[in-house]
Amino acid sequence: MRAIDAGILICCECHQLNHQEPDARSQVCTRCGAIVHARRPNSLVRTWALLLTAAILYIPANVLPIMTVSTLGQGSPDTIMSGVITLMKHGMLPIAAVVFIASILVPTFKLVGIALLLYSVQRHQPLSARQRILMYRFIEFIGRWSMLDIFVIAILVAVVNFGRIASVEANLGAVAFASVVILTMFAAVTFDPRLIWDNTESDDDHE
């Protein structure tokens, strides 16, 4: 049985349980005074908007150079994938694997995973609610690790600045990639996971 079926609303700010007032147009939390809703307003629309924007920016994030490393006045800009290939050529396979997973696999999984969650909820697909909620929690967990590349670039730009001897410069690809990461994190936050259980018709998922 769901809380909403028992007439109970949870405050998203302080997590206080509130009894639903049937005739009230808007209801405030009895503890903190925040407006409470049975479900986050326009959750699917907002999540789709953030996700589609992130998907569009994902193209320049991988096509445009993410940074330029110059040594003795010479250097060429690298995209994420070309940087991974360069690391592999220099025998740094563990670092190349970390960059590939954090910068290629994780953002792709997040985009595809959130899209599947939204589609399954809207189209009432016969998927297990437990599987979908595990996918949602995993997306939330791995979201922060996508910022690894941005942190590394920010540190290199700040530390490696020796004029013509050696320097690191961030490029537009880094801005696009950071935007993708932030937008997918917001998309995971705006999505209301309670919609997964609302769209579950199997009694086994409510046991």
Side-chain angles (χ1 to χ4, degrees):
M1 183 178 183
R2 302 171 304 170
I4 192 173
D5 296 329
I8 298 175
L9 304 179
I10 185 171
C11 175
C12 293
E13 301 295 332
C14 68
H15 302 288
Q16 170 73 6
L17 298 180
N18 299 267
H19 289 286
Q20 186 175 15
E21 300 174 5
D23 299 329
R25 292 187 177 181
S26 64
Q27 186 172 339
V28 296
C29 176
T30 56
R31 176 191 288 170
C32 68
I35 298 177
V36 292
H37 303 278
R39 297 293 181 262
R40 293 173 188 167
N42 301 318
S43 172
L44 295 179
V45 175
R46 293 177 180 177
T47 307
W48 270 121
L50 292 167
L51 185 67
L52 292 176
T53 306
I56 293 172
L57 290 173
Y58 189 60
I59 298 174
N62 286 275
V63 174
L64 296 177
I66 193 169
M67 70 176 178
T68 301
V69 180
S70 300
T71 305
L72 298 176
Q74 296 182 348
S76 59
D78 277 316
T79 62
I80 296 174
M81 200 62 211
S82 67
V84 172
I85 295 173
T86 301
L87 289 171
M88 293 176 64
K89 288 181 179 179
H90 286 81
M92 293 182 282
L93 295 179
I95 299 177
V98 170
V99 173
F100 180 77
I101 292 172
S103 303
I104 302 294
L105 291 185
V106 170
T108 302
F109 178 82
K110 286 174 63 179
L111 290 171
V112 175
I114 296 175
L116 285 176
L117 286 176
L118 291 170
Y119 181 80
S120 65
V121 167
Q122 286 187 307
R123 297 297 181 181
H124 299 271
Q125 295 297 308
L127 300 175
S128 168
R130 287 193 178 93
Q131 292 176 353
R132 285 186 285 182
I133 204 67
L134 286 175
M135 180 187 295
Y136 173 76
R137 290 172 181 169
F138 185 66
I139 290 172
E140 274 197 317
F141 172 76
I142 65 173
R144 68 201 75 176
W145 297 106
S146 299
M147 291 298 288
L148 179 63
D149 257 8
I150 303 302
F151 290 148
V152 171
I153 293 173
I155 293 172
L156 290 175
V157 170
V159 174
V160 184
N161 187 11
F162 303 107
R164 294 183 61 83
I165 298 176
S167 64
V168 176
E169 180 184 356
N171 298 126
L172 289 177
V175 178
F177 183 78
S179 300
V180 171
V181 174
I182 293 170
L183 287 170
T184 51
M185 290 175 68
F186 283 153
V189 171
T190 56
F191 178 75
D192 194 338
R194 293 173 294 185
L195 295 173
I196 294 175
W197 303 100
D198 291 343
N199 283 265
T200 301
E201 298 180 357
S202 174
D203 294 334
D204 294 334
D205 290 325
H206 293 285
E207 292 178 357

